[in-house]
Amino acid sequence: MATGNIVIPGHRICKHDDKHEAGDGTYVHNGFIFSSLAGITSSTDIQDSKVLIKVTTGSKQSIVPSVGCIVTARVTSVNPRFCKCAILSVENTVLSEVFRGMIRK
């Protein structure tokens, strides 16, 4: 895994195993680490010879909601199967741009 590579959302970065851990700006799917942001990859050594893989954008790190995060959202559309919403903040961080979301029945 080379650091400094430019990636886009959905780009497969490397295999998720006992040596590689997903960090900010990434997610794990089917045993691989993927980018959730458009940005540049970086790696940091952590305990027990593990490497933390991160993706950063520009000058500041983007906040992307993940499973288990508490968000504040505005419902924008409702139908019998789901409602669409605009996520305004993630945990205690107000987003600079709204993030679209969907809540299924």
Side-chain angles (χ1 to χ4, degrees):
M1 204 298 307
T3 60
N5 290 339
I6 297 173
V7 293
I8 58 172
H11 185 263
R12 187 169 71 182
I13 300 172
C14 67
K15 190 166 185 70
H16 181 249
D17 52 19
D18 29 336
K19 294 181 184 175
H20 299 94
E21 189 68 34
D24 295 336
T26 65
Y27 64 94
V28 177
H29 181 67
N30 290 336
F32 290 94
I33 298 175
F34 290 85
S35 173
S36 63
L37 302 172
I40 299 173
T41 60
S42 63
S43 62
T44 306
D45 292 331
I46 55 175
Q47 64 191 12
D48 301 327
S49 69
K50 277 192 166 188
V51 177
L52 182 68
I53 308 298
K54 297 191 291 184
V55 175
T56 54
T57 61
S59 61
K60 63 179 181 175
Q61 177 68 34
S62 295
I63 304 291
V64 177
S66 60
V67 175
C69 286
I70 297 173
V71 301
T72 303
R74 177 182 301 127
V75 175
T76 57
S77 172
V78 177
N79 75 36
R81 294 181 301 146
F82 60 87
C83 67
K84 293 180 182 178
C85 59
I87 298 173
L88 306 172
S89 67
V90 178
E91 301 290 339
N92 295 324
T93 305
V94 178
L95 303 177
S96 57
E97 297 178 17
V98 295
F99 194 87
R100 292 182 295 175
M102 181 183 299
I103 302 171
R104 295 189 178 130
K105 185 175 178 182

